[in-house]
Amino acid sequence: MRDAALAALDAATDAAALEAWRVAHLGRSGALTKLLRGLAQLPAEERPAAGAAANAAKALLEERLAEKQAALEGTRLGQLAADAIDISLPGRPVAPGRYHPSTMILREITDIFRGMGFQIAEGPEVEWERYNFDMLNIPRDHPARDMFDTFWVDANRDADGGFTTLLRTHTSPMQARIMEAHDPPIRVVVPGKCYRYEATDATHESQFHQVEGLAVDKGITFANLKHTLFEFTRQMFGPERKVRFRCDYFPFVEPGVDMSVEWNGRWVEILGAGMVHPNVLRAVGYDPEEYTGFAFGMGPERIAMLKYGITDIRLFLNNDLRFLQQF
Ligand code: YSA
């Protein structure tokens, strides 16, 4: 009985198990207590030896129980001490997050256009070839597709096995999506990411942002476009900054222009723009005799470079904290 009780004590590992063990082995109706009570029934000559053995066993079990309780208490205190918080130690510094310079400039750009009455819309980065090219007057064999080195996405193929989905190369597909879904008048800007499979350099990344602008209504003229873009650059760069406005070609506008801003004695192009091509208006079901519009697509990273004197566009996506923490 003693050995069985000691084995059971070994197996008890917490206070509740120890108490259960005490009740079972040393309690008032425990086995040993019953045995001690039964000594009286033994023949007189056996009583002293049996009594001594039972009392010795009881003393041993009580002693072991006390030892085990003390040990358990010790580990509990140790755990409490280890868990304690030293409130005299200085706290770990929490570095506040900050906005990425692309986010900051995007907000600045959209705020300026919001002030001129434009709404904000967003669209998908994985786009149909149809919206990115065809509806913008750039059919499959059009040489202008070379302007946009494209990451094709192998998600959908046409009957000839050609890709029909891509990472949008510009935000212009949203022109077609918005006009398809809404009747004029339209005045909207579309910020978002674009992707091009091109060799990167100080002013070209393969992932960058654009902000598309579109205004369509009766009687919209080139003068409205010019005023809007000059007002934008005035608010963004200040009235003193030199800006250049030149003819350029995009299949989805006629006439087409681009705009550059002076920087360290050279011109950096920030946007392409023009009057929405009649073919684009027709493709979305508008009558080009009734409605005219202007559109533009600008590069926020280039604008941030010019505004903050950043010399290399690749810094935007390098995740170098020395760069990011300056904003
Ligand atoms: C033109 C006429 C419209 O009616 C509407 C929009 C446009 C713009 C046209 N969709 C387009 O993408 N033109 S673009 O290739 O010259 O790019 C426009 C601007 O995006 C550039 O001026 C530049 O600021 C930025 N950009 C283009 N490729 C880039 C880039 N920025 C960083 N890295 C690149 N690889």
Side-chain angles (χ1 to χ4, degrees), residues 40-293:
Q41 271 94 54
L42 286 179
E45 63 278 14
E46 287 178 20
R47 245 180 259 160
N55 277 319
K58 185 175 181 212
L60 179 71
L61 293 187
E62 282 170 347
E63 186 187 321
R64 291 289 167 82
L65 174 65
E67 278 170 20
K68 187 105 189 199
Q69 277 169 334
L72 204 68
E73 186 64 11
T75 50
R76 224 164 64 80
L77 285 175
Q79 190 60 43
L80 283 176
D83 288 349
I85 295 168
D86 181 351
I87 55 167
S88 68
L89 285 174
R92 291 194 190 96
V94 178
R98 58 185 73 223
Y99 288 117
H100 190 277
S102 293
T103 307
M104 288 167 59
I105 200 78
L106 278 167
R107 290 191 177 182
E108 228 176 300
I109 293 170
T110 49
D111 277 353
I112 292 175
F113 284 106
R114 224 197 305 254
M116 292 195 250
F118 284 74
Q119 290 181 298
I120 317 281
E122 287 186 54
E125 290 171 29
V126 177
E127 184 56 280
W128 295 104
E129 173 192 31
R130 197 164 85 84
Y131 286 108
N132 197 86
F133 289 129
D134 302 76
M135 292 186 72
L136 295 173
N137 203 26
I138 320 176
R140 191 165 276 187
D141 52 0
H142 197 291
R145 285 207 181 188
D146 291 347
M147 290 165 66
F148 305 101
D149 300 295
T150 306
F151 286 112
W152 293 93
V153 176
D154 192 2
N156 288 277
R157 306 267 189 139
D158 60 18
D160 304 325
F163 298 127
T164 54
T165 36
L166 45 77
L167 295 184
R168 68 177 173 195
T169 58
H170 51 177
T171 40
S172 299
M174 277 300 284
Q175 287 189 32
R177 282 181 178 273
I178 289 166
M179 287 192 280
E180 223 178 31
H182 301 278
D183 290 330
I186 287 172
R187 228 182 323 172
V188 67
V189 286
V190 184
K193 289 196 193 80
C194 305
Y195 304 85
R196 286 188 202 173
Y197 181 58
E198 59 186 345
T200 58
D201 61 25
T203 52
H204 293 84
E205 252 295 4
S206 44
Q207 181 195 311
F208 55 98
H209 288 87
Q210 282 191 345
V211 175
E212 192 79 9
L214 175 70
V216 186
D217 202 351
K218 289 179 179 156
I220 296 237
T221 69
F222 194 81
N224 298 129
L225 168 65
K226 205 170 167 189
H227 169 78
T228 305
L229 292 180
F230 275 97
E231 177 58 21
F232 166 74
T233 50
R234 195 186 64 79
Q235 287 192 37
M236 180 57 83
F237 298 106
E240 303 304 325
R241 195 81 179 240
K242 277 196 184 153
V243 177
R244 184 173 78 177
F245 202 60
R246 288 192 314 178
C247 290
D248 199 351
Y249 169 74
F250 301 96
F252 32 98
V253 287
E254 183 56 39
V257 292
D258 67 43
M259 216 173 182
S260 302
V261 175
E262 199 200 5
W263 187 64
N264 284 348
R266 59 183 267 241
W267 294 105
V268 177
E269 185 203 293
I270 58 159
L271 63 85
M275 297 304 289
V276 181
H277 197 289
N279 287 350
V280 175
L281 295 174
R282 267 185 221 108
V284 295
Y286 288 5
D287 178 0
E289 297 299 324
E290 192 179 359
Y291 292 108
T292 51

